[in-house]
């Protein structure tokens, strides 16, 4: 298959198979950061508090049961993308939804499952703290950026 025929360049999110959809995730874990929403403006702010279930390889420790352990854990569906404008601008789902290509460090382009981590593109290269290390009423003190 020619590179330009790669599925993420030729298929929409709704046309992808389950395995294609799953492989699109780059494993950055930015969606595993706790976020706070301003109730008045609807603005979403990312904190540097990362879900307690993220491991040192930037993998979810409880992947199979994540929605039971963490009810707020995102469960991305193609039809949700319009409403998920808070997803990071590097998120592969957002990129494809916006008609953009994947970055050259994405595992689908490198062929290496850990290339996001190895290239320093995951949250583990940020000064993150497990979310259970900080009381919830102090999370606001750990905001790092506003979702765009
Ligand atoms: S932000 Fe997007 S690409 Fe990164 S881990 Fe979450 S779903 Fe996957
Ligand atoms: S349960 Fe797993 S996938 Fe969900 S936010 Fe936590 S680490 Fe991320």
């Amino acid at each position: 298959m020619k590179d330009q025929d790669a599925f993420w360049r030729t298929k929409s999110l709704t046309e992808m198979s389950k395995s294609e959809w799953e492989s699109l995730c780059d494993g950055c874990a930015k969606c595993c950061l706790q976020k706070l929403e301003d109730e008045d403006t609807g603005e979403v702010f990312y904190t540097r508090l990362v879900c307690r279930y993220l491991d040192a390889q930037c993998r979810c420790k409880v992947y199979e049961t994540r929605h039971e352990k963490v009810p707020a854990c995102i469960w991305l569906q193609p039809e949700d993308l319009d409403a998920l404008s808070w997803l990071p601008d590097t998120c592969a789902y957002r990129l494809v939804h916006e008609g953009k290509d994947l970055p050259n460090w994405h595992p689908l382009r490198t062929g290496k499952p850990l290339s996001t981590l190895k290239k320093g593109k995951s949250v583990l290269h940020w000064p993150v703290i497990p979310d259970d290390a900080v009381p919830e009423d102090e999370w606001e003190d750990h905001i790092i950026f506003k979702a765009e």
Side-chain angles (χ1 to χ4, degrees):
M1 182 176 68
K2 290 188 198 139
D3 202 36
Q4 65 263 32
D5 295 333
F7 76 86
W8 66 89
R9 296 185 179 124
T10 56
K11 291 187 180 182
S12 68
L13 292 170
T14 52
E15 291 168 336
M16 291 180 189
S17 68
K18 190 169 185 302
S19 62
E20 288 170 340
W21 171 266
E22 292 284 330
S23 69
L24 207 50
C25 180
D26 65 22
C28 70
K30 290 176 187 168
C31 59
C32 302
L33 294 173
Q34 292 289 355
K35 293 161 281 296
L36 298 173
E37 183 172 2
D38 184 316
E39 285 177 9
D40 297 326
T41 65
E43 292 171 312
V44 175
F45 297 87
Y46 280 78
T47 74
R48 65 189 182 121
L49 303 167
V50 72
C51 177
R52 66 201 70 179
Y53 296 113
L54 196 71
D55 74 12
Q57 294 291 304
C58 215
R59 304 272 187 199
C60 178
K61 290 181 202 168
V62 294
Y63 191 75
E64 296 304 326
T65 56
R66 63 195 188 283
H67 296 112
E68 291 156 35
K69 301 263 194 231
V70 181
C73 176
I74 187 172
W75 190 330
L76 269 182
Q77 302 289 321
E79 57 274 20
D80 296 337
L81 267 292
D82 279 333
L84 295 175
S85 56
W86 55 263
L87 279 170
D89 56 9
T90 59
C91 175
Y93 297 96
R94 179 169 167 178
L95 290 172
V96 172
H97 182 62
E98 293 176 350
K100 297 174 182 166
D101 200 359
L102 300 180
N104 58 11
W105 45 263
H106 191 287
L108 284 171
R109 294 193 61 184
T110 62
K112 296 177 180 155
L114 292 181
S115 58
T116 303
L117 182 66
K118 296 264 166 70
K119 294 288 182 185
K121 304 297 184 184
S122 81
V123 296
L124 295 188
H125 285 79
W126 296 357
V128 293
I129 305 173
D131 59 5
D132 55 353
V134 176
E136 217 166 317
D137 60 359
E138 294 176 17
W139 285 8
E140 205 173 333
D141 299 337
H142 295 273
I143 287 173
I144 49 175
F145 61 87
K146 180 161 85 77
E148 300 292 348

